[in-house]
Amino acid sequence: MSAFVPDVPGTAPADAGLMLTGERTIPGLDVENYWFRRHEVVYERLAPHCAGREVLEAGCGEGYGADLIAGVARRVIALDYDEATVAHVRARYPRVEVMHGNLSRLPLPDASVDVVVNFQVIEHLWDQAQFVRECARVLRPSGLLMVSTPNRITFSPGRDTPINPFHTRELNAEELTELLVDAGFGVDGVYGVFHGPRLAEMDARHGGSIIDAQVARAVADAPWPADLLTDVAAVTTADFDLVDAADRGIDESLDLVAIAVRP
């Protein structure tokens, strides 16, 4: 998921083959780097849960995350509904097995994987409950479902509908937890993604929010100031903090992360 399309229509990195449309984030673009790193950090921090295990990434997008997980997992299956995306992942990431399919009917047998990864995808789905039930079906006993999604409270503040046109329903922490519990999962942990100290400095340099500064340029289709582009391009995963909900106000987080366990 990419939050907003930059002011260069049809932009794609030279070696990627996928266009930046606003539906998903892709690596290798300076104007997209903030959102890419904000998503990538969750893969990095949660990848150890996949070590030596069979993993399904349900909604793999560009494929960079599935490939990251493949560095530690025994097997990674990457699933996406978009045929062009599936072809791209198959060509670009050979250590990942790729499948085309709908997340509401996962094309896997019962109890066939140890982990399901669903990062920045569930907010795109029309029937979120059905998808979570499907995750429970394909997971082995004690298997993990790991989900990340934008925090509705901070991502689309004060709105009845999502600010991103590709989203169907955004969630807060309570709603995400309820969705998982209703499908029979036990929730092992809920975490929030926050700006670390260097991003807080960037916020201060750009009128209080580097996010709002990017959004303003995208909405207005306006050129990016050089200082904003420099800062956005310099963001790394180390600039984000992943914090347990018990240690910091989860409603203030940028993104929500949940780890759920199938009984």
Side-chain angles (χ1 to χ4, degrees), residues 192-214:
V193 175
F194 295 86
H195 282 179
R198 201 166 76 104
L199 271 168
E201 293 175 0
M202 293 183 189
D203 283 332
R205 282 201 295 273
H206 299 286
S209 171
I210 194 171
I211 299 171
D212 290 347
Q214 294 176 79

Side-chain angles (χ1 to χ4, degrees), residues 56-57 60 75 77-82 86 90 96-101 106-108:
L56 167 69
E57 182 170 20
C60 65
R75 177 192 185 198
I77 304 165
L79 174 70
D80 205 273
Y81 76 97
D82 181 72
V86 168
R90 184 173 288 120
V96 173
E97 298 177 35
V98 192
M99 299 180 70
H100 176 257
L106 297 176
L108 292 176

Side-chain angles (χ1 to χ4, degrees), residues 59-207:
C60 65
E62 194 275 341
Y64 67 89
D67 187 64
L68 188 155
I69 292 169
V72 299
R74 183 167 72 250
R75 177 192 185 198
V76 176
I77 304 165
L79 174 70
D80 205 273
Y81 76 97
D82 181 72
E83 292 183 352
T85 296
V86 168
H88 166 81
V89 176
R90 184 173 288 120
R92 185 176 174 89
Y93 301 111
R95 61 182 178 175
V96 173
E97 298 177 35
V98 192
M99 299 180 70
H100 176 257
N102 194 311
L103 271 61
S104 65
R105 293 287 187 273
L106 297 176
L108 292 176
D110 295 356
S112 56
V113 294
D114 302 305
V115 182
V116 175
V117 171
N118 184 250
F119 292 162
Q120 301 292 328
V121 173
I122 199 166
E123 66 276 4
H124 294 257
L125 304 182
W126 288 104
D127 194 340
Q128 296 171 343
Q130 168 64 17
F131 165 68
V132 177
R133 288 192 296 268
E134 276 290 280
C135 292
R137 180 183 66 79
V138 303
L139 279 167
R140 296 175 179 132
S142 301
L144 299 181
L145 170 59
M146 302 196 297
V147 180
S148 76
T149 190
N151 179 7
R152 174 174 58 79
I153 297 173
T154 58
F155 196 81
S156 297
R159 292 176 58 95
D160 294 329
T161 57
I163 192 170
N164 188 313
F166 294 102
H167 294 181
T168 60
R169 180 195 176 207
E170 295 171 355
L171 305 163
N172 62 26
E174 182 179 355
E175 292 161 343
L176 177 58
T177 300
E178 181 180 10
L179 190 66
L180 297 169
V181 170
D182 285 352
F185 283 93
V187 178
D188 189 54
V190 177
Y191 307 85
V193 175
F194 295 86
H195 282 179
R198 201 166 76 104
L199 271 168
E201 293 175 0
M202 293 183 189
D203 283 332
R205 282 201 295 273
H206 299 286

Side-chain angles (χ1 to χ4, degrees), residues 229-253:
L229 187 57
T230 297
D231 277 350
V232 167
V235 173
T236 72
T237 55
D239 294 320
F240 295 93
D241 295 332
L242 186 63
V243 183
D244 192 294
D247 298 329
R248 188 168 176 181
I250 193 66
D251 287 345
E252 299 174 2
S253 67

